[in-house]
Structure formats: structure tokens, C-alpha cells
Amino acid sequence: MEIPCSEDYDSHKRFAGCTPRKCGRGVTDAVITREEAERIRRIAERGLSLGGSDGGASILDLHSGALSLGKHFVNLYRYFGDKIQDIFTEEDFALYRDVRQRIQQRIAQVFGISPSAMYLTKPTFFSRMNSTGAKTAHDEYWHPHVDKVTYGSFDYTSLLYLSDYSKDFGGGRFVFMDADSNKTVEPRAGRVSFFTSGSENLHRVEKVQWGTRFAVTISFSCDPAHGIADPLLG
């Protein structure tokens, strides 16, 4: 679905052949298989089992090592050291990288840019949401927001869903808040939602009412200065 670009990109340096000139959003079930999504979810479950927020939203960032723990965050790699080798495998990180590349290629194809002009950027992270009440502001994931306003580096945002709406959890749908009406995405394992990151895609996530919702947010910048590498084991 193509929509006019907001002015958010004007206040940042433009990168020819990447900075959105055609804006919009898409949903596809044809890039990542359900089986791959379940394997990715197991990576998230193993990592998040080491910590977890006291509230309803926990994150795991394999790039920076950030892991929710109680009301705070710890660095997974520093906190657990060599034990990380017992939790994740090289195959886990290879799958994560492969999935990231395929999503990047699909976004580039849809928006008519070269995948090599896009850079993975931070934060890129797993999220686990349940119906536990918020204990800190980090747990309040349901507020409407614009990614480009929150994170200036973002130009393209994607979400890979790792669990199924109405089977694994209730609530927790992704809502694009348009002027005329809301457009709602129902998560299912393997479904990818992707969009340009400006105000043309104001959005929120409904509160999870029951069960557990897993997803991974994979974000891209046109600015090589904001690029990050794929995570490496050890």
C-alpha cells in the first residue's frame, strides 16, 4: 500500500537511492516460513529465559547484548560471559542473519531501492509481551509512536512475528493509525510487516490480553554511519 511520505525525512541527511521518496507499508507471509519463525522464536525464548522484565514487555537485543532483567537491562554477553555458547549456536546466528537479509531484500524490492543501500540499524531486537501490568515506562509498549521520531536513524522498519494472534495470545495486534481509519495487522508466525519509518506510518500495538506474543523488530537506515553488524557468537 503506497502512501504519501511525511516531512520527517527532510530534517535528516538524504541518501540518494535509499531515503524514501515512495512511502508505504506491506505485509507478506511469503518471505519467512512458519518453521523458520518457530526456530527464531526458540532463539528468543532461550535468550529471554535468562532474564525478563518484571512488567509485561521484555526485550533481547543480540547486537548490543541488551536484555530486560527486572526493572533494568543487563548486557547479556558481559553478564553471562562464556555461558552464552551454551545458549546460542552458530546455526542460530546464521539463521538470524539469513532471515534479516531476506527481509531486507523484500523491502528493497517493494520500495524500488538497492538492498546494498540499506544498513541494519539499532535497535533491532526480540520482544516478548504478555498481560502483566507495566512496572516501568519500558513496559508501556502500547503508546502511539512514529519510529523516525523515536529513532532518527530509522528509514525502514520491519517486524517478523513469531507467534499467532488468537492462538498464542489475545490483543497485541499492530495498528496503523491513519487519518481516515485504522489498518490492523494480525500477527502470525512467519508474517512480516514492513513500512517506511516516518509519520505516514503512525502506529501502536494493542495491549496483550492473554498469552505471550513474540516478535523481532528489524530496522534499517540509509545512513552508513548508523549501520550495525549482524551479531556474532563469541
Side-chain angles (χ1 to χ4, degrees):
M1 175 179 168
E2 193 167 341
I3 40 184
C5 293
S6 63
E7 296 176 357
D8 295 338
Y9 307 98
D10 296 340
S11 55
H12 296 266
K13 185 178 175 186
R14 283 189 168 273
F15 291 86
C18 182
T19 299
R21 294 201 175 278
K22 177 174 108 172
C23 290
R25 61 185 72 138
V27 178
T28 178
D29 295 339
V31 174
I32 309 301
T33 67
R34 176 174 281 279
E35 189 264 339
E36 286 168 331
E38 286 166 356
R39 285 169 59 199
I40 292 274
R41 187 180 73 217
R42 289 196 287 274
I43 298 171
E45 287 172 337
R46 290 200 304 273
L48 285 160
S49 72
L50 299 170
S53 166
D54 288 344
S58 300
I59 71 139
L60 165 65
D61 180 335
L62 291 178
H63 303 266
S64 71
L67 172 71
S68 301
L69 187 66
K71 294 184 178 65
H72 307 284
F73 296 94
V74 294
N75 184 308
L76 176 79
Y77 301 117
R78 284 206 293 270
Y79 203 75
F80 295 100
D82 293 341
K83 293 200 191 82
I84 290 300
Q85 312 279 347
D86 302 329
I87 297 151
F88 303 121
T89 65
E90 294 288 0
E91 289 77 18
D92 292 337
F93 281 51
L95 175 63
Y96 182 90
R97 182 171 62 248
D98 181 47
V99 162
R100 187 272 302 163
Q101 286 171 336
R102 276 186 275 155
I103 291 172
Q104 183 168 347
Q105 285 162 352
R106 176 53 63 96
I107 293 171
Q109 176 192 1
V110 168
F111 290 105
I113 61 175
S114 167
S116 63
M118 302 163 65
Y119 300 88
L120 187 67
T121 195
K122 61 182 181 185
T124 282
F125 60 94
F126 291 107
S127 57
R128 182 185 69 193
M129 298 173 184
N130 59 35
S131 59
T132 306
K135 301 294 189 288
T136 73
H138 292 294
D139 297 317
E140 297 182 20
Y141 56 80
W142 51 82
H143 299 295
H145 65 278
V146 171
D147 289 352
K148 186 82 181 156
V149 173
T150 307
Y151 306 107
S153 61
F154 280 34
D155 290 300
Y156 300 92
T157 307
S158 69
L159 289 136
L160 167 61
Y161 297 108
L162 306 175
S163 47
D164 291 355
Y165 170 76
S166 83
K167 189 180 103 184
D168 298 314
F169 61 91
R173 294 180 302 176
F174 187 99
V175 183
F176 289 108
M177 302 173 69
D178 296 340
D180 52 349
S181 66
N182 287 345
K183 311 285 190 307
T184 303
V185 179
E186 293 187 354
R188 68 183 287 274
R191 176 166 289 168
V192 177
S193 169
F194 58 94
F195 49 94
T196 48
S197 305
S199 301
E200 67 277 0
N201 283 311
L202 173 70
H203 60 272
R204 67 184 183 89
V205 174
E206 296 173 333
K207 286 187 184 182
V208 172
Q209 302 298 328
W210 57 267
T212 307
R213 176 194 193 270
F214 284 93
V216 55
T217 299
I218 303 175
S219 33
F220 299 97
S221 179
C222 295
D223 186 345
H226 289 296
I228 60 170
D230 288 303
L232 294 171
L233 194 57

PDB file of all heavy atoms in Angstrom, residues 190-226:
ATOM      1  N   GLY A 190       5.817 -16.164  11.115  1.00  0.00           N
ATOM      2  CA  GLY A 190       6.336 -16.081   9.760  1.00  0.00           C
ATOM      3  C   GLY A 190       5.847 -14.869   8.986  1.00  0.00           C
ATOM      4  O   GLY A 190       6.387 -14.565   7.920  1.00  0.00           O
ATOM      5  N   ARG A 191       4.849 -14.178   9.492  1.00  0.00           N
ATOM      6  CA  ARG A 191       4.340 -12.979   8.805  1.00  0.00           C
ATOM      7  C   ARG A 191       5.304 -11.816   9.031  1.00  0.00           C
ATOM      8  O   ARG A 191       5.781 -11.597  10.148  1.00  0.00           O
ATOM      9  CB  ARG A 191       2.948 -12.634   9.327  1.00  0.00           C
ATOM     10  CG  ARG A 191       2.352 -11.348   8.753  1.00  0.00           C
ATOM     11  CD  ARG A 191       0.854 -11.257   9.054  1.00  0.00           C
ATOM     12  NE  ARG A 191       0.134 -12.253   8.242  1.00  0.00           N
ATOM     13  CZ  ARG A 191      -1.144 -12.590   8.436  1.00  0.00           C
ATOM     14  NH1 ARG A 191      -1.834 -12.043   9.419  1.00  0.00           N
ATOM     15  NH2 ARG A 191      -1.712 -13.494   7.646  1.00  0.00           N
ATOM     16  N   VAL A 192       5.572 -11.076   7.957  1.00  0.00           N
ATOM     17  CA  VAL A 192       6.432  -9.893   8.048  1.00  0.00           C
ATOM     18  C   VAL A 192       5.602  -8.662   7.695  1.00  0.00           C
ATOM     19  O   VAL A 192       4.950  -8.617   6.654  1.00  0.00           O
ATOM     20  CB  VAL A 192       7.633  -9.991   7.076  1.00  0.00           C
ATOM     21  CG1 VAL A 192       8.477  -8.718   7.140  1.00  0.00           C
ATOM     22  CG2 VAL A 192       8.494 -11.218   7.397  1.00  0.00           C
ATOM     23  N   SER A 193       5.629  -7.687   8.600  1.00  0.00           N
ATOM     24  CA  SER A 193       5.037  -6.375   8.343  1.00  0.00           C
ATOM     25  C   SER A 193       6.195  -5.405   8.155  1.00  0.00           C
ATOM     26  O   SER A 193       7.157  -5.440   8.924  1.00  0.00           O
ATOM     27  CB  SER A 193       4.176  -5.965   9.546  1.00  0.00           C
ATOM     28  OG  SER A 193       3.780  -4.621   9.456  1.00  0.00           O
ATOM     29  N   PHE A 194       6.136  -4.563   7.117  1.00  0.00           N
ATOM     30  CA  PHE A 194       7.250  -3.638   6.884  1.00  0.00           C
ATOM     31  C   PHE A 194       6.702  -2.307   6.380  1.00  0.00           C
ATOM     32  O   PHE A 194       5.639  -2.264   5.747  1.00  0.00           O
ATOM     33  CB  PHE A 194       8.262  -4.231   5.899  1.00  0.00           C
ATOM     34  CG  PHE A 194       7.683  -4.595   4.553  1.00  0.00           C
ATOM     35  CD1 PHE A 194       7.729  -3.700   3.496  1.00  0.00           C
ATOM     36  CD2 PHE A 194       7.091  -5.835   4.356  1.00  0.00           C
ATOM     37  CE1 PHE A 194       7.196  -4.032   2.261  1.00  0.00           C
ATOM     38  CE2 PHE A 194       6.553  -6.172   3.109  1.00  0.00           C
ATOM     39  CZ  PHE A 194       6.598  -5.270   2.060  1.00  0.00           C
ATOM     40  N   PHE A 195       7.424  -1.231   6.687  1.00  0.00           N
ATOM     41  CA  PHE A 195       6.906   0.100   6.356  1.00  0.00           C
ATOM     42  C   PHE A 195       8.010   1.137   6.427  1.00  0.00           C
ATOM     43  O   PHE A 195       9.034   0.946   7.098  1.00  0.00           O
ATOM     44  CB  PHE A 195       5.758   0.481   7.302  1.00  0.00           C
ATOM     45  CG  PHE A 195       6.039   0.282   8.773  1.00  0.00           C
ATOM     46  CD1 PHE A 195       6.510   1.318   9.559  1.00  0.00           C
ATOM     47  CD2 PHE A 195       5.826  -0.954   9.379  1.00  0.00           C
ATOM     48  CE1 PHE A 195       6.762   1.148  10.917  1.00  0.00           C
ATOM     49  CE2 PHE A 195       6.073  -1.144  10.740  1.00  0.00           C
ATOM     50  CZ  PHE A 195       6.537  -0.099  11.505  1.00  0.00           C
ATOM     51  N   THR A 196       7.788   2.251   5.710  1.00  0.00           N
ATOM     52  CA  THR A 196       8.681   3.402   5.865  1.00  0.00           C
ATOM     53  C   THR A 196       8.453   3.988   7.257  1.00  0.00           C
ATOM     54  O   THR A 196       7.340   3.948   7.787  1.00  0.00           O
ATOM     55  CB  THR A 196       8.421   4.442   4.769  1.00  0.00           C
ATOM     56  OG1 THR A 196       7.004   4.694   4.666  1.00  0.00           O
ATOM     57  CG2 THR A 196       8.942   3.952   3.427  1.00  0.00           C
ATOM     58  N   SER A 197       9.513   4.526   7.866  1.00  0.00           N
ATOM     59  CA  SER A 197       9.505   4.779   9.307  1.00  0.00           C
ATOM     60  C   SER A 197       8.969   6.147   9.730  1.00  0.00           C
ATOM     61  O   SER A 197       8.926   6.446  10.924  1.00  0.00           O
ATOM     62  CB  SER A 197      10.931   4.620   9.854  1.00  0.00           C
ATOM     63  OG  SER A 197      11.458   3.355   9.510  1.00  0.00           O
ATOM     64  N   GLY A 198       8.536   6.982   8.774  1.00  0.00           N
ATOM     65  CA  GLY A 198       8.085   8.331   9.104  1.00  0.00           C
ATOM     66  C   GLY A 198       6.652   8.398   9.620  1.00  0.00           C
ATOM     67  O   GLY A 198       5.975   7.374   9.814  1.00  0.00           O
ATOM     68  N   SER A 199       6.177   9.642   9.818  1.00  0.00           N
ATOM     69  CA  SER A 199       4.849   9.895  10.395  1.00  0.00           C
ATOM     70  C   SER A 199       3.714   9.393   9.508  1.00  0.00           C
ATOM     71  O   SER A 199       2.571   9.301   9.972  1.00  0.00           O
ATOM     72  CB  SER A 199       4.648  11.395  10.643  1.00  0.00           C
ATOM     73  OG  SER A 199       5.623  11.887  11.518  1.00  0.00           O
ATOM     74  N   GLU A 200       4.021   9.073   8.252  1.00  0.00           N
ATOM     75  CA  GLU A 200       2.993   8.469   7.398  1.00  0.00           C
ATOM     76  C   GLU A 200       2.564   7.100   7.944  1.00  0.00           C
ATOM     77  O   GLU A 200       1.522   6.572   7.568  1.00  0.00           O
ATOM     78  CB  GLU A 200       3.501   8.333   5.953  1.00  0.00           C
ATOM     79  CG  GLU A 200       4.633   7.354   5.736  1.00  0.00           C
ATOM     80  CD  GLU A 200       6.017   7.889   6.036  1.00  0.00           C
ATOM     81  OE1 GLU A 200       6.140   9.069   6.438  1.00  0.00           O
ATOM     82  OE2 GLU A 200       6.989   7.123   5.855  1.00  0.00           O
ATOM     83  N   ASN A 201       3.360   6.554   8.870  1.00  0.00           N
ATOM     84  CA  ASN A 201       3.047   5.255   9.462  1.00  0.00           C
ATOM     85  C   ASN A 201       3.019   5.319  10.992  1.00  0.00           C
ATOM     86  O   ASN A 201       3.653   4.513  11.678  1.00  0.00           O
ATOM     87  CB  ASN A 201       4.034   4.191   8.963  1.00  0.00           C
ATOM     88  CG  ASN A 201       3.709   3.738   7.554  1.00  0.00           C
ATOM     89  OD1 ASN A 201       2.559   3.408   7.258  1.00  0.00           O
ATOM     90  ND2 ASN A 201       4.700   3.724   6.676  1.00  0.00           N
ATOM     91  N   LEU A 202       2.274   6.301  11.509  1.00  0.00           N
ATOM     92  CA  LEU A 202       1.984   6.344  12.948  1.00  0.00           C
ATOM     93  C   LEU A 202       1.331   5.021  13.327  1.00  0.00           C
ATOM     94  O   LEU A 202       0.432   4.539  12.628  1.00  0.00           O
ATOM     95  CB  LEU A 202       1.033   7.506  13.245  1.00  0.00           C
ATOM     96  CG  LEU A 202       0.483   7.610  14.673  1.00  0.00           C
ATOM     97  CD1 LEU A 202       1.580   8.019  15.650  1.00  0.00           C
ATOM     98  CD2 LEU A 202      -0.666   8.623  14.730  1.00  0.00           C
ATOM     99  N   HIS A 203       1.781   4.422  14.433  1.00  0.00           N
ATOM    100  CA  HIS A 203       1.238   3.110  14.789  1.00  0.00           C
ATOM    101  C   HIS A 203       1.305   2.856  16.282  1.00  0.00           C
ATOM    102  O   HIS A 203       1.949   3.599  17.028  1.00  0.00           O
ATOM    103  CB  HIS A 203       1.995   2.005  14.041  1.00  0.00           C
ATOM    104  CG  HIS A 203       3.468   1.975  14.350  1.00  0.00           C
ATOM    105  ND1 HIS A 203       4.390   2.720  13.643  1.00  0.00           N
ATOM    106  CD2 HIS A 203       4.179   1.295  15.285  1.00  0.00           C
ATOM    107  CE1 HIS A 203       5.608   2.492  14.121  1.00  0.00           C
ATOM    108  NE2 HIS A 203       5.496   1.639  15.129  1.00  0.00           N
ATOM    109  N   ARG A 204       0.635   1.804  16.682  1.00  0.00           N
ATOM    110  CA  ARG A 204       0.678   1.355  18.070  1.00  0.00           C
ATOM    111  C   ARG A 204       0.443  -0.152  18.081  1.00  0.00           C
ATOM    112  O   ARG A 204       0.054  -0.745  17.067  1.00  0.00           O
ATOM    113  CB  ARG A 204      -0.386   2.053  18.912  1.00  0.00           C
ATOM    114  CG  ARG A 204      -1.812   1.689  18.552  1.00  0.00           C
ATOM    115  CD  ARG A 204      -2.837   2.488  19.375  1.00  0.00           C
ATOM    116  NE  ARG A 204      -4.202   2.086  19.060  1.00  0.00           N
ATOM    117  CZ  ARG A 204      -4.853   1.108  19.669  1.00  0.00           C
ATOM    118  NH1 ARG A 204      -4.264   0.424  20.645  1.00  0.00           N
ATOM    119  NH2 ARG A 204      -6.094   0.796  19.322  1.00  0.00           N
ATOM    120  N   VAL A 205       0.683  -0.752  19.225  1.00  0.00           N
ATOM    121  CA  VAL A 205       0.377  -2.171  19.441  1.00  0.00           C
ATOM    122  C   VAL A 205      -0.695  -2.247  20.529  1.00  0.00           C
ATOM    123  O   VAL A 205      -0.579  -1.586  21.560  1.00  0.00           O
ATOM    124  CB  VAL A 205       1.640  -2.957  19.875  1.00  0.00           C
ATOM    125  CG1 VAL A 205       1.295  -4.398  20.241  1.00  0.00           C
ATOM    126  CG2 VAL A 205       2.693  -2.922  18.769  1.00  0.00           C
ATOM    127  N   GLU A 206      -1.733  -3.023  20.271  1.00  0.00           N
ATOM    128  CA  GLU A 206      -2.761  -3.216  21.300  1.00  0.00           C
ATOM    129  C   GLU A 206      -2.144  -3.911  22.515  1.00  0.00           C
ATOM    130  O   GLU A 206      -1.203  -4.711  22.371  1.00  0.00           O
ATOM    131  CB  GLU A 206      -3.879  -4.122  20.774  1.00  0.00           C
ATOM    132  CG  GLU A 206      -4.664  -3.566  19.615  1.00  0.00           C
ATOM    133  CD  GLU A 206      -5.632  -4.590  19.035  1.00  0.00           C
ATOM    134  OE1 GLU A 206      -5.379  -5.809  19.152  1.00  0.00           O
ATOM    135  OE2 GLU A 206      -6.635  -4.154  18.457  1.00  0.00           O
ATOM    136  N   LYS A 207      -2.689  -3.656  23.694  1.00  0.00           N
ATOM    137  CA  LYS A 207      -2.254  -4.384  24.884  1.00  0.00           C
ATOM    138  C   LYS A 207      -2.560  -5.877  24.715  1.00  0.00           C
ATOM    139  O   LYS A 207      -3.639  -6.240  24.244  1.00  0.00           O
ATOM    140  CB  LYS A 207      -2.976  -3.862  26.129  1.00  0.00           C
ATOM    141  CG  LYS A 207      -2.485  -2.518  26.611  1.00  0.00           C
ATOM    142  CD  LYS A 207      -3.144  -2.165  27.937  1.00  0.00           C
ATOM    143  CE  LYS A 207      -2.742  -0.778  28.397  1.00  0.00           C
ATOM    144  NZ  LYS A 207      -3.334  -0.427  29.714  1.00  0.00           N
ATOM    145  N   VAL A 208      -1.600  -6.693  25.091  1.00  0.00           N
ATOM    146  CA  VAL A 208      -1.833  -8.137  25.094  1.00  0.00           C
ATOM    147  C   VAL A 208      -2.768  -8.469  26.258  1.00  0.00           C
ATOM    148  O   VAL A 208      -2.537  -8.043  27.397  1.00  0.00           O
ATOM    149  CB  VAL A 208      -0.493  -8.902  25.208  1.00  0.00           C
ATOM    150  CG1 VAL A 208      -0.714 -10.392  25.411  1.00  0.00           C
ATOM    151  CG2 VAL A 208       0.363  -8.653  23.967  1.00  0.00           C
ATOM    152  N   GLN A 209      -3.832  -9.205  25.969  1.00  0.00           N
ATOM    153  CA  GLN A 209      -4.846  -9.538  26.978  1.00  0.00           C
ATOM    154  C   GLN A 209      -4.587 -10.884  27.654  1.00  0.00           C
ATOM    155  O   GLN A 209      -4.929 -11.079  28.811  1.00  0.00           O
ATOM    156  CB  GLN A 209      -6.240  -9.551  26.332  1.00  0.00           C
ATOM    157  CG  GLN A 209      -6.631  -8.243  25.661  1.00  0.00           C
ATOM    158  CD  GLN A 209      -6.693  -7.074  26.636  1.00  0.00           C
ATOM    159  OE1 GLN A 209      -7.028  -7.234  27.810  1.00  0.00           O
ATOM    160  NE2 GLN A 209      -6.358  -5.881  26.155  1.00  0.00           N
ATOM    161  N   TRP A 210      -4.028 -11.802  26.911  1.00  0.00           N
ATOM    162  CA  TRP A 210      -3.696 -13.132  27.461  1.00  0.00           C
ATOM    163  C   TRP A 210      -2.619 -13.767  26.586  1.00  0.00           C
ATOM    164  O   TRP A 210      -2.408 -13.356  25.441  1.00  0.00           O
ATOM    165  CB  TRP A 210      -4.934 -14.041  27.531  1.00  0.00           C
ATOM    166  CG  TRP A 210      -5.645 -14.259  26.217  1.00  0.00           C
ATOM    167  CD1 TRP A 210      -6.696 -13.531  25.725  1.00  0.00           C
ATOM    168  CD2 TRP A 210      -5.348 -15.252  25.224  1.00  0.00           C
ATOM    169  NE1 TRP A 210      -7.061 -14.005  24.487  1.00  0.00           N
ATOM    170  CE2 TRP A 210      -6.269 -15.068  24.157  1.00  0.00           C
ATOM    171  CE3 TRP A 210      -4.402 -16.285  25.124  1.00  0.00           C
ATOM    172  CZ2 TRP A 210      -6.267 -15.871  23.014  1.00  0.00           C
ATOM    173  CZ3 TRP A 210      -4.392 -17.091  23.982  1.00  0.00           C
ATOM    174  CH2 TRP A 210      -5.324 -16.879  22.948  1.00  0.00           C
ATOM    175  N   GLY A 211      -1.917 -14.753  27.130  1.00  0.00           N
ATOM    176  CA  GLY A 211      -0.888 -15.450  26.365  1.00  0.00           C
ATOM    177  C   GLY A 211       0.382 -14.633  26.193  1.00  0.00           C
ATOM    178  O   GLY A 211       0.596 -13.628  26.891  1.00  0.00           O
ATOM    179  N   THR A 212       1.239 -15.055  25.267  1.00  0.00           N
ATOM    180  CA  THR A 212       2.545 -14.425  25.048  1.00  0.00           C
ATOM    181  C   THR A 212       2.764 -14.183  23.563  1.00  0.00           C
ATOM    182  O   THR A 212       2.591 -15.085  22.741  1.00  0.00           O
ATOM    183  CB  THR A 212       3.685 -15.307  25.594  1.00  0.00           C
ATOM    184  OG1 THR A 212       3.414 -15.627  26.965  1.00  0.00           O
ATOM    185  CG2 THR A 212       5.025 -14.591  25.506  1.00  0.00           C
ATOM    186  N   ARG A 213       3.144 -12.955  23.258  1.00  0.00           N
ATOM    187  CA  ARG A 213       3.383 -12.513  21.877  1.00  0.00           C
ATOM    188  C   ARG A 213       4.876 -12.327  21.675  1.00  0.00           C
ATOM    189  O   ARG A 213       5.516 -11.543  22.386  1.00  0.00           O
ATOM    190  CB  ARG A 213       2.648 -11.184  21.649  1.00  0.00           C
ATOM    191  CG  ARG A 213       2.852 -10.504  20.298  1.00  0.00           C
ATOM    192  CD  ARG A 213       2.326  -9.083  20.439  1.00  0.00           C
ATOM    193  NE  ARG A 213       2.159  -8.338  19.198  1.00  0.00           N
ATOM    194  CZ  ARG A 213       3.080  -7.572  18.628  1.00  0.00           C
ATOM    195  NH1 ARG A 213       4.304  -7.498  19.161  1.00  0.00           N
ATOM    196  NH2 ARG A 213       2.806  -6.880  17.539  1.00  0.00           N
ATOM    197  N   PHE A 214       5.449 -13.037  20.701  1.00  0.00           N
ATOM    198  CA  PHE A 214       6.857 -12.892  20.351  1.00  0.00           C
ATOM    199  C   PHE A 214       6.987 -12.251  18.972  1.00  0.00           C
ATOM    200  O   PHE A 214       6.227 -12.584  18.061  1.00  0.00           O
ATOM    201  CB  PHE A 214       7.552 -14.264  20.299  1.00  0.00           C
ATOM    202  CG  PHE A 214       7.863 -14.870  21.629  1.00  0.00           C
ATOM    203  CD1 PHE A 214       6.972 -15.738  22.237  1.00  0.00           C
ATOM    204  CD2 PHE A 214       9.056 -14.582  22.278  1.00  0.00           C
ATOM    205  CE1 PHE A 214       7.256 -16.315  23.467  1.00  0.00           C
ATOM    206  CE2 PHE A 214       9.354 -15.141  23.514  1.00  0.00           C
ATOM    207  CZ  PHE A 214       8.453 -16.018  24.112  1.00  0.00           C
ATOM    208  N   ALA A 215       7.953 -11.355  18.829  1.00  0.00           N
ATOM    209  CA  ALA A 215       8.250 -10.750  17.534  1.00  0.00           C
ATOM    210  C   ALA A 215       9.715 -10.326  17.529  1.00  0.00           C
ATOM    211  O   ALA A 215      10.375 -10.298  18.567  1.00  0.00           O
ATOM    212  CB  ALA A 215       7.348  -9.538  17.275  1.00  0.00           C
ATOM    213  N   VAL A 216      10.215 -10.010  16.335  1.00  0.00           N
ATOM    214  CA  VAL A 216      11.530  -9.387  16.241  1.00  0.00           C
ATOM    215  C   VAL A 216      11.384  -8.160  15.349  1.00  0.00           C
ATOM    216  O   VAL A 216      10.784  -8.218  14.278  1.00  0.00           O
ATOM    217  CB  VAL A 216      12.629 -10.370  15.742  1.00  0.00           C
ATOM    218  CG1 VAL A 216      12.273 -11.021  14.437  1.00  0.00           C
ATOM    219  CG2 VAL A 216      13.985  -9.689  15.640  1.00  0.00           C
ATOM    220  N   THR A 217      11.868  -7.036  15.866  1.00  0.00           N
ATOM    221  CA  THR A 217      11.893  -5.774  15.118  1.00  0.00           C
ATOM    222  C   THR A 217      13.244  -5.668  14.431  1.00  0.00           C
ATOM    223  O   THR A 217      14.288  -5.764  15.091  1.00  0.00           O
ATOM    224  CB  THR A 217      11.686  -4.580  16.071  1.00  0.00           C
ATOM    225  OG1 THR A 217      10.415  -4.705  16.706  1.00  0.00           O
ATOM    226  CG2 THR A 217      11.762  -3.254  15.326  1.00  0.00           C
ATOM    227  N   ILE A 218      13.219  -5.511  13.096  1.00  0.00           N
ATOM    228  CA  ILE A 218      14.449  -5.419  12.311  1.00  0.00           C
ATOM    229  C   ILE A 218      14.390  -4.106  11.542  1.00  0.00           C
ATOM    230  O   ILE A 218      13.493  -3.901  10.717  1.00  0.00           O
ATOM    231  CB  ILE A 218      14.584  -6.617  11.348  1.00  0.00           C
ATOM    232  CG1 ILE A 218      14.551  -7.933  12.150  1.00  0.00           C
ATOM    233  CG2 ILE A 218      15.869  -6.512  10.530  1.00  0.00           C
ATOM    234  CD1 ILE A 218      14.551  -9.184  11.285  1.00  0.00           C
ATOM    235  N   SER A 219      15.295  -3.207  11.851  1.00  0.00           N
ATOM    236  CA  SER A 219      15.207  -1.836  11.324  1.00  0.00           C
ATOM    237  C   SER A 219      16.410  -1.503  10.459  1.00  0.00           C
ATOM    238  O   SER A 219      17.507  -2.032  10.651  1.00  0.00           O
ATOM    239  CB  SER A 219      15.094  -0.859  12.491  1.00  0.00           C
ATOM    240  OG  SER A 219      15.814  -1.316  13.608  1.00  0.00           O
ATOM    241  N   PHE A 220      16.168  -0.594   9.508  1.00  0.00           N
ATOM    242  CA  PHE A 220      17.193  -0.233   8.528  1.00  0.00           C
ATOM    243  C   PHE A 220      17.308   1.276   8.390  1.00  0.00           C
ATOM    244  O   PHE A 220      16.318   2.000   8.450  1.00  0.00           O
ATOM    245  CB  PHE A 220      16.849  -0.840   7.165  1.00  0.00           C
ATOM    246  CG  PHE A 220      16.796  -2.335   7.175  1.00  0.00           C
ATOM    247  CD1 PHE A 220      15.582  -2.995   7.308  1.00  0.00           C
ATOM    248  CD2 PHE A 220      17.957  -3.093   7.096  1.00  0.00           C
ATOM    249  CE1 PHE A 220      15.521  -4.384   7.342  1.00  0.00           C
ATOM    250  CE2 PHE A 220      17.915  -4.479   7.133  1.00  0.00           C
ATOM    251  CZ  PHE A 220      16.687  -5.129   7.251  1.00  0.00           C
ATOM    252  N   SER A 221      18.550   1.711   8.190  1.00  0.00           N
ATOM    253  CA  SER A 221      18.858   3.119   7.961  1.00  0.00           C
ATOM    254  C   SER A 221      19.485   3.264   6.587  1.00  0.00           C
ATOM    255  O   SER A 221      20.123   2.340   6.068  1.00  0.00           O
ATOM    256  CB  SER A 221      19.848   3.617   9.015  1.00  0.00           C
ATOM    257  OG  SER A 221      20.171   4.975   8.806  1.00  0.00           O
ATOM    258  N   CYS A 222      19.323   4.446   5.995  1.00  0.00           N
ATOM    259  CA  CYS A 222      20.019   4.766   4.746  1.00  0.00           C
ATOM    260  C   CYS A 222      21.399   5.364   5.012  1.00  0.00           C
ATOM    261  O   CYS A 222      22.203   5.523   4.088  1.00  0.00           O
ATOM    262  CB  CYS A 222      19.173   5.746   3.937  1.00  0.00           C
ATOM    263  SG  CYS A 222      17.609   5.021   3.381  1.00  0.00           S
ATOM    264  N   ASP A 223      21.669   5.679   6.258  1.00  0.00           N
ATOM    265  CA  ASP A 223      22.912   6.349   6.643  1.00  0.00           C
ATOM    266  C   ASP A 223      23.937   5.310   7.095  1.00  0.00           C
ATOM    267  O   ASP A 223      23.749   4.667   8.138  1.00  0.00           O
ATOM    268  CB  ASP A 223      22.632   7.337   7.782  1.00  0.00           C
ATOM    269  CG  ASP A 223      23.843   8.184   8.135  1.00  0.00           C
ATOM    270  OD1 ASP A 223      24.962   7.839   7.713  1.00  0.00           O
ATOM    271  OD2 ASP A 223      23.658   9.196   8.840  1.00  0.00           O
ATOM    272  N   PRO A 224      25.014   5.116   6.336  1.00  0.00           N
ATOM    273  CA  PRO A 224      26.003   4.107   6.736  1.00  0.00           C
ATOM    274  C   PRO A 224      26.601   4.365   8.113  1.00  0.00           C
ATOM    275  O   PRO A 224      27.045   3.425   8.780  1.00  0.00           O
ATOM    276  CB  PRO A 224      27.074   4.188   5.635  1.00  0.00           C
ATOM    277  CG  PRO A 224      26.829   5.471   4.911  1.00  0.00           C
ATOM    278  CD  PRO A 224      25.378   5.801   5.078  1.00  0.00           C
ATOM    279  N   ALA A 225      26.587   5.619   8.566  1.00  0.00           N
ATOM    280  CA  ALA A 225      27.114   5.933   9.904  1.00  0.00           C
ATOM    281  C   ALA A 225      26.290   5.296  11.009  1.00  0.00           C
ATOM    282  O   ALA A 225      26.769   5.130  12.136  1.00  0.00           O
ATOM    283  CB  ALA A 225      27.168   7.448  10.100  1.00  0.00           C
ATOM    284  N   HIS A 226      25.042   4.942  10.689  1.00  0.00           N
ATOM    285  CA  HIS A 226      24.175   4.314  11.690  1.00  0.00           C
ATOM    286  C   HIS A 226      24.070   2.811  11.501  1.00  0.00           C
ATOM    287  O   HIS A 226      23.269   2.147  12.155  1.00  0.00           O
ATOM    288  CB  HIS A 226      22.774   4.933  11.643  1.00  0.00           C
ATOM    289  CG  HIS A 226      22.721   6.333  12.156  1.00  0.00           C
ATOM    290  ND1 HIS A 226      23.010   6.658  13.470  1.00  0.00           N
ATOM    291  CD2 HIS A 226      22.424   7.504  11.539  1.00  0.00           C
ATOM    292  CE1 HIS A 226      22.895   7.958  13.641  1.00  0.00           C
ATOM    293  NE2 HIS A 226      22.552   8.500  12.484  1.00  0.00           N
TER     294      HIS A 226
END
